[in-house]
Amino acid sequence: MTSQASASAHPLRWRILGLLGVAQLMLILDVTVVAIALPHIGTDLELSRQAVTWTVSAYTLTFGGLMLLGGRTADLIGAKRVVLAGLLIFTAASLVTGLAGSSGVLLGGRVAQGLGAALLSPAALSLVVGLFDGDERNRALGVWSALGGGGAALGVLLGGALTAGPGWPWVFYVNVPIGLAITAALARMLPRQLAAAPRPRLDVLGALLVTASSGALIYAFVRAGDDGWLTAATGWLVLLAAVGYAAFVLRQKTARSPMMDVSLLLRRPVATGTFLILMATALMIAVFFLGTFYFQHGEDYGALRTGLLFLPVAVATMAGADLTGRTIARAGPRRLAVAGLLTAAAGMALPALSLHPVTVVVGTAVAGAGTGAMFVVASATALGQVAPHEAGIASGIVSTFHEFGASIGAAVISSVAAVSLTGDTLDGFTDGFVLAAVAAAVAALAAAALTPPRGRAAPGLDLDPQVKG
């Protein structure tokens, strides 16, 4: 960075980065911290298995479905306004969710949290990019990207400690004072923004179509655990989702200001990257979902002990991501994608063959290392060869598929393991690990065929924190 650029930079930019980073961390934590508390939430509120599953999926589905719309809104009215609005919505929704005494209020609060997150996350990243330049921007984005792995580690520990201590509502209450403090500080620190130049309208219909279609698909997967996979109801819901996705594609081709350029998904690197991020997140959620219910429901472990047992998974995920980031230029994305998926398959196979606390800890940690590698390969593959003016929308697509992967993973694993979530047998947990192992192995074959052998990594590649995992 030149001295002239340094002189014109915002003097509080690093403090602002810290505050925005903490805000982003809350959004990441709200998946893993809640996963540890799920058995207690289900017991206290007398939730059905479907409602427990939707506690995860309602948040990630809304977050992913509206994220591109949130980014467009930041472009239209200014990132500062959208960040503050997203923070306030997320904070208020956290309070409502913590106070929930029924499944309806709980799930409504989770949807509202997802809305706040969809506004906050892309607008915050836009502010980070705008506040920094040159080498400083790369450093800032490195800090931003590191939040993903740190969030996974902190989430399992914080979720266990809060649930075992003051109780599960505090996994939501803790967001309230932090959110209010960050909102007040950012309102003072963030620079005033000039009125945005006239831009195309927001594609609200497109956002509703893709979110509703994904909701129908996830609902089909959740119902299948009770009604069966080959029932007419499941088939109609899947068909409805397919029609909705087709309508979304048509809308994007005809809208004056589409949410995304769907033609990007036809490019081999972007298509492969979105497939890998979808699989990586689905497998990661499978690890947390199966593990947390196995330890707390199957082995009767407490929440804090469960959180500590998940610490190796978080550390292994960060280690896998770090090692892959260091070697991807030399080894190439195809080898590392296949290696990551095979590692995840081997890790999931261990508890599938012998279900025991030790094999679950070791197996999920090995699987975590594999998914950590996949997060980096997915981001590098999807974003490494897009033009600079396409980087923002490509990153948004990858982040959206990240959240959809979490929703789908929770729904499918919950249905496969339903017999163990609602009864005393451990067979459902075994079936869940078997499915995850087989899915990872099949995905490895697909990755070997689809992933480009070499990719040109863009300088200062932005590994979105949610993508890095």
Side-chain angles (χ1 to χ4, degrees):
M1 177 184 287
T2 66
S3 58
Q4 183 179 0
S6 298
S8 63
H10 195 287
L12 299 178
R13 60 192 180 281
W14 290 106
R15 293 184 186 180
I16 293 172
L17 173 64
L19 292 171
L20 291 174
V22 174
Q24 177 70 15
L25 188 61
M26 288 196 301
L27 309 186
I28 299 169
L29 284 173
D30 235 51
V31 177
T32 55
V33 73
V34 172
I36 298 298
L38 277 179
H40 290 262
I41 296 174
T43 300
D44 286 357
L45 299 184
E46 298 180 347
L47 302 181
S48 65
R49 180 194 60 82
Q50 293 188 21
V52 168
T53 306
W54 278 108
T55 303
V56 173
S57 294
Y59 175 72
T60 54
L61 174 62
T62 310
F63 191 176
L66 300 181
M67 188 181 299
L68 292 176
L69 189 65
R72 289 281 190 179
T73 304
D75 287 341
L76 181 64
I77 66 174
K80 176 180 179 178
R81 293 177 181 176
V82 177
V83 161
L84 296 178
L87 263 171
L88 288 175
I89 293 172
F90 183 83
T91 301
S94 296
L95 178 61
V96 170
T97 310
L99 293 171
S102 66
S103 60
V105 176
L106 177 76
L107 297 181
R110 290 294 278 167
V111 169
Q113 281 188 304
L115 171 60
L119 292 173
L120 171 58
S121 184
L125 184 56
S126 175
L127 282 171
V128 172
V129 172
L131 286 168
F132 295 90
D133 194 15
D135 292 339
E136 276 199 345
R137 178 182 291 176
N138 290 334
R139 288 167 54 198
L141 291 175
V143 172
W144 188 263
S145 300
L147 293 171
L154 183 59
V156 294
L157 292 176
L158 185 62
L162 291 175
T163 304
W168 66 261
W170 281 92
V171 304
F172 303 109
Y173 290 155
V174 71
N175 295 329
V176 177
I178 298 174
L180 291 176
I182 294 176
T183 302
L186 288 177
R188 295 194 312 270
M189 290 184 183
L190 286 175
R192 286 188 176 184
Q193 295 178 312
L194 298 176
R199 293 176 182 266
R201 295 179 180 179
L202 295 172
D203 183 18
V204 177
L205 177 58
L208 293 177
L209 279 172
V210 71
T211 305
S213 301
S214 299
L217 183 64
I218 291 163
Y219 184 46
F221 292 155
V222 172
R223 280 178 58 102
D226 297 326
D227 302 337
W229 292 92
L230 301 178
T231 63
T234 300
W236 281 113
L237 284 168
V238 172
L239 179 61
L240 178 63
V243 171
Y245 285 132
F248 171 74
V249 171
L250 180 63
R251 170 67 181 177
Q252 297 311 290
K253 291 184 176 181
T254 58
R256 291 184 178 180
S257 55
M259 279 207 319
M260 60 180 284
D261 181 2
V262 292
S263 65
L264 279 175
L265 290 173
L266 299 178
R267 298 184 191 176
R268 182 180 176 187
V270 177
T272 303
T274 54
F275 166 71
L276 290 175
I277 201 67
L278 187 79
M279 287 301 305
T281 316
L283 290 170
M284 181 185 73
I285 289 298
V287 165
F288 280 101
F289 203 98
L290 289 172
T292 199
F293 275 96
Y294 167 71
F295 288 130
Q296 296 187 62
H297 187 72
E299 297 293 336
D300 201 26
Y301 289 173
L304 181 58
R305 186 178 182 182
T306 299
L308 291 172
L309 288 174
F310 267 103
L311 185 57
V313 180
V315 173
T317 302
M318 288 187 287
D322 180 67
L323 179 61
T324 303
R326 294 172 183 272
T327 59
I328 189 169
R330 181 172 64 255
R334 178 185 292 172
R335 291 180 182 178
L336 293 177
V338 173
L341 282 162
L342 290 178
T343 300
M348 292 296 199
L350 185 58
L353 295 173
S354 175
L355 193 65
H356 184 274
V358 174
T359 58
V360 171
V361 170
V362 174
T364 53
V366 172
T371 56
M374 290 165 59
F375 284 126
V376 176
V377 175
S379 182
T381 302
L383 305 179
Q385 299 184 58
V386 297
H389 69 277
E390 298 173 322
I393 191 63
S395 179
I397 291 172
V398 172
S399 297
T400 297
F401 274 83
H402 178 284
E403 300 304 325
F404 285 165
S407 302
I408 294 171
V412 172
I413 285 296
S414 169
S415 290
V416 171
V419 66
S420 291
L421 300 179
T422 58
D424 297 327
T425 179
L426 298 179
D427 291 346
F429 295 127
T430 299
D431 293 342
F433 282 115
V434 169
L435 174 65
V438 171
V442 172
L445 295 176
L450 295 175
T451 309
R454 292 282 173 181
R456 176 180 55 83
L461 178 66
D462 170 21
L463 294 182
D464 185 275
Q466 298 174 60
V467 174
K468 194 172 181 183

